Amino acid sequence: MGRPKVKADRHADRGEGFRPHGGGILPGGGGTEHLPRLIGRDRALEAILSGNDYDADTAERYGWVTRTVADAELDGFVGGVATRLASFDKTALAAAKAQVNRATLPPDADLRAAYTQFLSSLTWPGVQALLPQFEKLAAEKGPEELELRLGHYLGIARQESR
């Protein structure tokens, strides 16, 4: 489904690897390993188990995203950061990133285990029952609308599959 955006007139990206639990599918791609490190265990459980969509301001307040930027300012902001970083020593940037990654990213073994669990969740009976309704909604709403309100539409598909 690509990268679900947090809705608003401000840009905030939840990133890859996170799919709400509302569809009965475990998050894949490292979502359950990364999210608690970003927003804490309790908020991660809330986000994953509820499957709710979050607006950009809430995502920023939770620490899910570094900052939110008004759409009209996004290109200028990103360009400014990219220009500044491009002027720095590449070795120093890579070393700093490696140190932060070492301290904050989950071990590869945890990511592999989570991916195995994610793949297994795709075969669960509840997920299989949900898929026809979700595919119908996807055809009706289109991928952009579905991405913007993924948790909402997973909930609808779940209700209609019962």
Side-chain angles (χ1 to χ4, degrees):
M1 281 258 147
R3 299 172 69 112
K5 301 288 190 254
V6 179
K7 306 181 307 253
D9 65 343
R10 302 168 69 76
H11 180 87
D13 193 327
R14 292 197 291 208
E16 286 298 333
F18 178 78
R19 299 294 182 260
H21 178 269
I25 301 170
L26 293 175
T32 53
E33 290 72 36
H34 291 287
L35 196 59
R37 287 172 166 84
L38 289 174
I39 66 175
R41 180 184 183 276
D42 291 344
R43 284 185 171 154
L45 282 171
E46 173 192 336
I48 292 168
L49 298 178
S50 74
N52 287 335
D53 295 313
Y54 291 85
D55 62 51
D57 291 331
T58 301
E60 182 179 31
R61 192 174 67 251
Y62 279 13
W64 198 329
V65 296
T66 304
R67 74 179 71 241
T68 57
V69 178
D71 285 342
E73 299 168 13
L74 182 61
D75 290 342
F77 176 79
V78 171
V81 171
T83 299
R84 181 169 169 78
L85 291 176
S87 72
F88 294 162
D89 179 77
K90 308 305 180 260
T91 304
L93 288 174
K97 183 177 177 184
Q99 287 180 338
V100 171
N101 286 350
R102 197 170 38 252
T104 60
L105 294 180
D108 288 345
D110 289 354
L111 294 173
R112 283 190 295 275
Y115 187 65
T116 299
Q117 290 173 322
F118 163 73
L119 290 177
S120 176
S121 77
L122 297 176
T123 67
W124 294 345
V127 173
Q128 294 299 309
L130 166 86
L131 288 178
Q133 292 301 324
F134 190 70
E135 289 170 357
K136 179 181 168 197
L137 281 171
E140 290 173 6
K141 303 298 180 182
E144 287 184 21
E145 172 64 15
L146 211 63
E147 252 184 67
L148 286 174
R149 302 186 65 209
L150 183 60
H152 172 75
Y153 290 119
L154 282 170
I156 290 174
R158 169 70 55 215
Q159 294 281 338
E160 292 177 359
S161 70
R162 292 176 185 211

